[in-house]
């Protein structure tokens, strides 16, 4: 009887540990492009958040939480034109920061215009840095590298 009880405790411990050790990935990213002219294209960066999760805007006020950042790495084949655009975010007053904080839930598509300096395929490279939060916690900042081919 003691062996069965010990086995149940061991199995429960392993099952609990497996649940705790799961890596949360509440944000999925997709990347795409649309060529506007022979000299310009738009890069699309889409985030889809799991129910109950959100990410912050590109334009979080100073002293607020970790904002989303998209860093494009120009390499001679293209250059970034202007700032990255985002739709109008939702706003929420957060007592921790004592400010209204802009955020997105469900999904958001960011857009960046780029100038093309070469004919044919151009590979646009970059990285997205963000922090995902739900009502109870925020995950540590994460980064996702991307490469988008403009044809």
């Amino acid at each position: 009887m003691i062996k069965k009880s010990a086995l149940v405790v061991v199995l429960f411990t392993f099952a609990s540990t497996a649940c705790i050790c799961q890596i949360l990935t509440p944000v999925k990213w997709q990347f795409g492009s649309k060529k506007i002219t022979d000299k310009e294209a738009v890069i699309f960066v889409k985030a889809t958040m799991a129910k109950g999760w959100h990410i912050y805007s590109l334009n979080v006020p100073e002293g607020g939480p970790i904002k989303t950042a998209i860093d494009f790495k120009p390499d001679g084949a293209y250059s970034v034109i202007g700032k990255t655009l985002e739709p109008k975010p939702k706003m929420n007053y957060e007592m921790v920061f004592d400010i209204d904080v802009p955020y997105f839930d469900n999904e958001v598509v960011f857009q960046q215009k780029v100038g093309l300096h070469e004919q044919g395929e151009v590979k646009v490279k970059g990285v997205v840095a963000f922090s995902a939060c739900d009502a109870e916690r925020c995950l540590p900042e994460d980064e996702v590298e991307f490469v988008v081919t403009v044809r």
Side-chain angles (χ1 to χ4, degrees), residues 43-45 58-59 68-72 80-87 109-113:
I43 305 302
F44 300 99
V45 178
L58 299 171
N59 303 299
T68 300
I70 305 172
D71 181 30
F72 291 87
V80 173
I81 300 173
K83 293 183 176 185
T84 303
L85 303 177
E86 66 180 18
V109 178
F110 302 102
Q111 298 180 41
Q112 178 63 60
K113 190 182 279 189

Side-chain angles (χ1 to χ4, degrees), residues 6-21:
L7 180 61
V8 169
V9 170
V10 169
L11 288 175
F12 180 74
T13 301
F14 281 123
S16 298
T17 303
C19 292
I20 292 170
C21 293

Side-chain angles (χ1 to χ4, degrees), residues 67-136:
K67 65 182 175 181
T68 300
I70 305 172
D71 181 30
F72 291 87
K73 302 186 186 302
D75 69 357
Y78 68 94
S79 58
V80 173
I81 300 173
K83 293 183 176 185
T84 303
L85 303 177
E86 66 180 18
K88 184 175 180 179
K90 295 180 179 180
M91 297 293 280
N92 186 48
Y93 176 78
E94 294 192 16
M95 291 189 325
V96 172
F97 304 108
D98 193 29
I99 57 172
D100 287 324
V101 178
Y103 72 96
F104 299 101
D105 58 6
N106 299 322
E107 72 177 34
V108 60
V109 178
F110 302 102
Q111 298 180 41
Q112 178 63 60
K113 190 182 279 189
V114 295
L116 306 172
H117 306 302
E118 294 181 3
Q119 296 296 331
E121 288 188 355
V122 173
K123 294 193 182 293
V124 177
K125 299 176 184 178
V127 63
V128 179
F130 67 99
S131 180
C133 301
D134 68 5
E136 298 174 3

Side-chain angles (χ1 to χ4, degrees), residues 24-25 27 29 66 69 127-132 139-144:
L24 290 175
T25 53
V27 182
W29 293 91
I66 297 170
V127 63
V128 179
F130 67 99
S131 180
L139 300 178
E141 186 174 22
D142 197 4
E143 291 185 348
V144 174

